[in-house]
Amino acid sequence: MAASQDAPLQTLFLPFASGALAWPQAPVLFLRAREGWALRTHAAAARLVCVQGFRPFAQALEDGGWTLREEADLEASDDRFPLVLALPPRQRDEARALLARALARVAPGGVLLACQANNEGARSGEGDLQQLAGLGGKLTKHHCRAFWTGPLDGGHDEALRTRWAALDAPRPILDGRFRSRPGVFAWDRIDPASALLAEQLPADLAGQGADLGAGWGYLSAEVLARCPQVAGLDLYEADARALALARDNLAGQRARLAFHWHDVTAGIDGRYDFVVCNPPFHTPARQDRPDIGQRFIAVAAQALRPGGRLFLVANRHLPYEQILSAHFGEVRVAAERDGFKAIVGIRGGRP
């Protein structure tokens, strides 16, 4: 997401610009933090602790010089902050859990401030915070809603906070075959596009492979179950929460596995005999971005050995044919169903 278009980030800082809230002298915690001009303008001199599990956003924060902290490390601590900022996601259970965990990090007398886009659940988010801890104020701008508590010193509904904090906890799905959690892609089901691609995997796949955009591990699990000659598999995933689930879901496999918290669009270093891929085609804010999938295809081609195969699934309407033809010596549609197409590309050159 381009910084200039990050309306929730801009709106989040308006209460300080208007004087409705004052920035504290002590360190501030920012959950689901994002880099952008609004952050640099309003918090440039601040001691800011950022938590961000989406690798492209985390990389931008690192490049901007901000201090990043892992969510698990924060959860294991007793640290409290006079101000906690949060950009809740669209998914309701995940957003409620974020607000509940954020509330637990507010020091006595401190404030929790959140912001969401109107089309990302802002009104519900405001109502949830009011129910959880009461509202000290709110404002709307840029088709977004910022809302915050009054100074907190107990008085919130701790039983509700505890229940909400567990709403996005990992849990068994699909009759216990896998574990997943609200907020990750297709969290409680097998994505039909991935299911279509899994059906096209040939049993003779062998050697070292990669799963680009591995999610919680379904496609990788199918590769290992259907293709006994696969010796190793590298999983690349930008969502740290999904990657942690994949690690759990693939525990005990016979093949050598490696898990990479990585933005595939930045390129990968491995050399592979095959690649499987159900690439994203929008940002976390649901903006259509077919160029992301196109970049996944180019990266896959660069990572494949000559003669290596790409197994790709995509929405039927996405414009991938030109870039596939440019990077692969042979391209064919293996199957189509329910608006999806499964494509096999073979890299040119001698194996």
Side-chain angles (χ1 to χ4, degrees), residues 180-264:
S180 188
R181 64 191 301 185
V184 302
F185 174 70
W187 81 268
D188 60 351
R189 65 192 186 279
I190 296 174
D191 172 59
S194 294
L196 176 64
L197 185 60
E199 294 169 8
Q200 312 311 313
L201 296 173
D204 67 348
L205 277 185
Q208 186 70 29
D211 184 350
L212 306 188
W216 49 259
Y218 168 73
L219 265 178
S220 288
E222 289 294 308
V223 168
L224 297 172
R226 294 167 182 263
C227 311
Q229 298 179 71
V230 171
L233 195 60
D234 285 359
L235 286 77
Y236 294 86
E237 173 55 48
D239 182 349
R241 291 154 46 93
L243 189 65
L245 292 165
R247 190 185 298 273
D248 288 345
N249 287 329
L250 296 174
Q253 293 284 348
R254 52 170 176 74
R256 296 187 303 272
L257 302 179
F259 299 85
H260 306 273
W261 183 44
H262 186 73
D263 175 10
V264 169

Side-chain angles (χ1 to χ4, degrees), residues 75-340:
E75 289 290 328
S77 76
D78 295 322
D79 294 349
R80 301 289 189 96
F81 301 83
L83 175 64
V84 177
L85 309 173
L87 293 172
R90 172 196 291 260
Q91 211 280 341
R92 185 75 177 276
D93 285 346
E94 186 188 11
R96 282 180 161 177
L98 179 68
L99 290 176
R101 290 195 291 267
L103 186 62
R105 296 295 155 191
V106 180
V111 170
L112 167 57
L113 165 64
C115 185
Q116 289 177 280
N118 292 341
N119 62 0
E120 294 282 317
R123 187 175 295 276
S124 295
E126 179 190 317
D128 287 343
L129 185 60
Q130 183 170 19
Q131 183 180 355
L132 191 62
L135 285 184
K138 60 183 179 181
L139 62 80
T140 59
K141 188 77 171 179
H142 306 308
H143 304 289
C144 297
R145 186 179 297 257
F147 41 94
W148 59 94
T149 66
L152 293 168
D153 194 5
H156 64 272
D157 188 336
E158 179 59 20
L160 181 64
R161 193 206 68 77
T162 301
R163 291 199 303 272
W164 281 10
L167 284 175
D168 71 339
R171 71 210 53 186
I173 62 168
L174 302 173
D175 298 322
R177 182 183 175 194
F178 300 105
R179 287 175 61 80
S180 188
R181 64 191 301 185
V184 302
F185 174 70
W187 81 268
D188 60 351
R189 65 192 186 279
I190 296 174
D191 172 59
S194 294
L196 176 64
L197 185 60
E199 294 169 8
Q200 312 311 313
L201 296 173
D204 67 348
L205 277 185
Q208 186 70 29
D211 184 350
L212 306 188
W216 49 259
Y218 168 73
L219 265 178
S220 288
E222 289 294 308
V223 168
L224 297 172
R226 294 167 182 263
C227 311
Q229 298 179 71
V230 171
L233 195 60
D234 285 359
L235 286 77
Y236 294 86
E237 173 55 48
D239 182 349
R241 291 154 46 93
L243 189 65
L245 292 165
R247 190 185 298 273
D248 288 345
N249 287 329
L250 296 174
Q253 293 284 348
R254 52 170 176 74
R256 296 187 303 272
L257 302 179
F259 299 85
H260 306 273
W261 183 44
H262 186 73
D263 175 10
V264 169
T265 66
I268 60 177
D269 294 329
R271 297 292 286 171
Y272 299 105
D273 299 297
F274 67 91
V275 170
V276 297
C277 185
N278 180 3
F281 58 92
H282 52 68
T283 69
R286 299 294 177 182
Q287 295 173 318
D288 284 344
R289 288 283 305 276
D291 60 298
I292 297 176
Q294 292 168 344
R295 177 60 182 157
F296 268 59
I297 293 168
V299 168
Q302 293 162 6
L304 282 166
R305 297 185 176 96
R309 288 178 284 179
L310 168 66
F311 298 86
L312 170 83
V313 69
N315 288 52
R316 187 178 291 147
H317 72 276
L318 289 173
Y320 291 163
E321 281 72 17
Q322 183 174 354
I323 193 164
L324 283 163
S325 297
H327 286 280
F328 291 89
E330 179 183 337
V331 177
R332 64 181 177 86
V333 176
E336 294 187 72
R337 187 173 69 217
D338 300 329
F340 301 107

Side-chain angles (χ1 to χ4, degrees), residues 9-20 42 139-142 146:
L9 184 66
Q10 296 176 37
T11 308
L12 180 72
F13 288 97
L14 291 181
F16 304 106
S18 69
H42 295 285
L139 62 80
T140 59
K141 188 77 171 179
H142 306 308

